[in-house]
């Protein structure tokens, strides 16, 4: 039995898959089993998975009908047998010492939380891992939520973390839902008795145009707000000093959905409700010291309507590249 299982859901990511798998198989830490869950790929991804299984004994391939990201991760958890498990998305990649560094920190923890780097879709060579050992600190559950919610990009993703596998006992990703990570992350944190956080960012998150988070949104994307609301209720009840962080995340999600849903005329009413929610909270968004500058700017733009907001956002996004 290996020390760690790496679970990678695979669905129609042929242009990115080899870079992802090569970055995993080239790790300095080698005592792991790699589960490639082919979730009904219609491109050449399934064949690529089988190719790797034929050349490296650490690779296990599971082919299943397309059931979505959550179901693929859950299938990996069901087959997993190691003491620790981590998730890597098949269009992302990791530094060569990523698993080694998380593994060393796991000697002190049930759950390790690390950072990430946003990478361009075209990519390039995978940067070498920094030679110096990364910082780490023991964290309470409250500290863990502060770490995940405190930045401009909340780290509530399943990836970028290492878990004791038994944390997932009776916990699974919600099948058929988007933004499934947000729904269960607080459950996992509450089960962990020892948590380690690190600023080390050896995970490269690739923003590609066809990904779930970048495609034009449908009404099913409103699940994001439902999950944010549930997390807000939980944080308010258990860690009230952190409520401002999840409140900020909630309104950030509102702006994200307006930008993504605004191009669909069938969702005009939904966008209107989101706009009213934002404008009803204008005092917080414009004047509260915990609000982000981008939230302030977005609120002012929404005064002129969602179309104006989306036009300004597109200009900002192009200038920021």
């Amino acid at each position: 039995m290996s020390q760690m299982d790496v679970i990678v859901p695979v669905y129609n990511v042929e242009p990115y898959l080899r870079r992802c798998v090569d970055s995993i198989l080239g790790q300095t830490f080698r005592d792991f089993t790699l589960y490639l869950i082919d979730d009904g790929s219609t491109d050449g991804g399934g064949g690529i998975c089988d190719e790797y299984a034929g050349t490296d004994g650490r690779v296990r391939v599971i082919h299943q009908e397309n059931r979505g990201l959550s179901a693929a991760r859950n299938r990996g958890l069901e087959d997993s047998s190691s003491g620790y498990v981590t998730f890597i998305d098949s269009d992302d990649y990791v530094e060569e010492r990523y698993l080694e560094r998380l593994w060393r920190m796991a000697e002190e923890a049930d759950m390790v939380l690390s950072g990430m780097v946003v990478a361009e879709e075209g990519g390039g060579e995978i940067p070498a891992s920094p030679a110096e050992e990364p910082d780490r600190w023991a964290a309470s559950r409250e500290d863990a939520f502060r770490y995940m919610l405190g930045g401009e990009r909340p780290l509530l993703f399943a990836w970028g973390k290492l878990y004791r596998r038994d944390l997932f006992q009776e916990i699974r990703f919600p099948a058929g839902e988007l933004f499934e990570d947000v729904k269960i992350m607080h459950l996992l944190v509450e089960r962990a008795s020892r948590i380690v956080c690190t600023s080390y960012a050896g995970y490269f998150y690739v923003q590609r145009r066809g990904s779930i988070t970048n495609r034009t949104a449908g009404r099913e994307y409103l699940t994001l707000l439902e999950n944010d609301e549930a997390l807000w209720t939980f944080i308010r009840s258990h860690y009230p000093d952190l409520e401002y962080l999840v409140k900020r995340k909630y309104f950030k999600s509102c702006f994200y959905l307006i930008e993504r849903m605004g191009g669909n005329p069938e969702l005009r009413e939904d966008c209107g409700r989101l706009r009213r929610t934002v404008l009803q909270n204008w005092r917080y968004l414009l004047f509260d010291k915990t609000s982000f500058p981008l939230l302030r700017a977005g609120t002012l733009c929404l005064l002129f309507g969602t179309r104006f907001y989306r036009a300004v956002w597109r200009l900002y996004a192009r200038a920021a590249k």
Side-chain angles (χ1 to χ4, degrees):
M1 181 186 301
S2 58
Q3 299 282 357
M4 182 194 306
D5 289 330
V6 181
I7 297 174
V8 178
V10 177
Y11 179 70
N12 288 358
V13 288
E14 184 177 0
Y16 313 93
L17 184 56
R18 291 188 186 277
R19 180 177 61 183
C20 174
V21 177
D22 288 342
S23 76
I24 298 169
L25 296 179
Q27 291 289 299
T28 54
F29 178 89
R30 301 187 59 80
D31 190 8
F32 64 85
T33 300
L34 172 58
Y35 286 90
L36 298 175
I37 316 298
D38 171 28
D39 190 43
S41 296
T42 57
D43 60 2
I48 293 173
C49 292
D50 291 334
E51 178 186 325
Y52 278 104
T55 59
D56 195 310
R58 295 172 296 172
V59 179
R60 304 283 187 272
V61 179
I62 298 171
H63 299 282
Q64 64 180 31
E65 293 182 2
N66 177 242
R67 294 162 53 202
L69 177 60
S70 289
R73 286 176 175 163
N74 290 340
R75 178 62 190 276
L77 286 170
E78 289 160 10
D79 283 63
S80 172
S81 59
S82 299
Y84 284 83
V85 62
T86 190
F87 301 94
I88 297 175
D89 282 358
S90 52
D91 47 359
D92 299 336
Y93 54 96
V94 290
E95 288 180 348
E96 66 176 357
R97 296 181 66 185
Y98 174 73
L99 296 182
E100 175 190 342
R101 286 180 158 160
L102 265 59
W103 174 250
R104 288 182 180 176
M105 297 178 198
E107 295 174 354
E108 309 163 13
D110 304 316
M111 189 174 184
V112 179
L113 313 180
S114 74
M116 59 93 165
V117 177
V118 178
E120 294 294 329
E121 182 175 8
E125 290 190 9
I126 300 175
S129 298
E132 64 274 10
E133 285 300 311
D135 59 345
R136 70 183 78 176
W137 61 94
S140 66
R141 295 184 181 99
E142 183 171 355
D143 292 335
F145 285 115
R146 184 179 289 108
Y147 174 86
M148 290 190 291
L149 290 165
E152 289 199 24
R153 187 184 291 270
L155 297 172
L156 292 168
F157 309 104
W159 44 258
K161 301 168 180 65
L162 182 61
Y163 314 83
R164 283 190 64 88
R165 188 169 57 87
D166 57 15
L167 292 181
F168 283 92
Q169 187 174 356
E170 299 177 359
I171 294 178
R172 289 294 184 268
F173 294 95
E177 291 188 16
L178 300 179
F179 309 104
E180 66 290 333
D181 317 56
V182 179
K183 194 161 191 174
I184 70 167
M185 194 53 60
H186 67 286
L187 303 177
L188 296 168
V189 170
E190 286 299 291
R191 280 198 168 184
S193 58
R194 301 173 303 158
I195 302 171
V196 166
C197 294
T198 177
S199 60
Y200 169 63
Y203 189 104
F204 289 82
Y205 167 66
V206 178
Q207 285 192 319
R208 59 187 182 91
R209 287 182 292 273
S211 68
I212 290 173
T213 52
N214 279 323
R215 69 175 68 126
T216 301
R219 190 166 283 110
E220 68 274 11
Y221 276 59
L222 292 172
T223 302
L224 175 59
L225 285 189
E226 295 172 8
N227 291 345
D228 280 356
E229 288 167 358
L231 179 61
W232 192 346
T233 299
F234 171 83
I235 293 293
R236 182 191 297 123
S237 173
H238 291 76
Y239 307 103
D241 289 345
L242 303 183
E243 183 179 358
Y244 75 97
L245 293 175
V246 71
K247 180 179 182 179
R248 187 169 65 188
K249 182 194 181 311
Y250 175 85
F251 285 105
K252 191 169 185 287
S253 295
C254 287
F255 284 105
Y256 167 79
L257 290 173
I258 290 171
E259 196 276 322
R260 291 295 168 197
M261 295 169 61
N264 187 338
E266 296 180 2
L267 302 178
R268 187 174 294 117
E269 186 175 335
D270 297 288
C271 283
R273 282 198 298 269
L274 290 170
R275 177 175 180 262
R276 288 193 294 273
T277 296
V278 169
L279 296 182
Q280 286 166 3
N281 290 272
W282 65 271
R283 288 184 178 85
Y284 159 72
L285 291 163
L286 291 178
F287 301 115
D288 194 287
K289 63 181 181 180
T290 65
S291 179
F292 284 140
L294 276 177
L295 297 183
R296 299 187 186 104
T299 302
L300 292 173
C301 289
L302 274 182
L303 290 172
F304 300 95
T306 57
R307 183 177 298 178
F308 179 80
Y309 168 81
R310 294 183 70 245
V312 172
W313 174 257
R314 286 194 294 270
L315 290 173
Y316 169 77
R318 281 198 288 267
K321 287 184 178 179

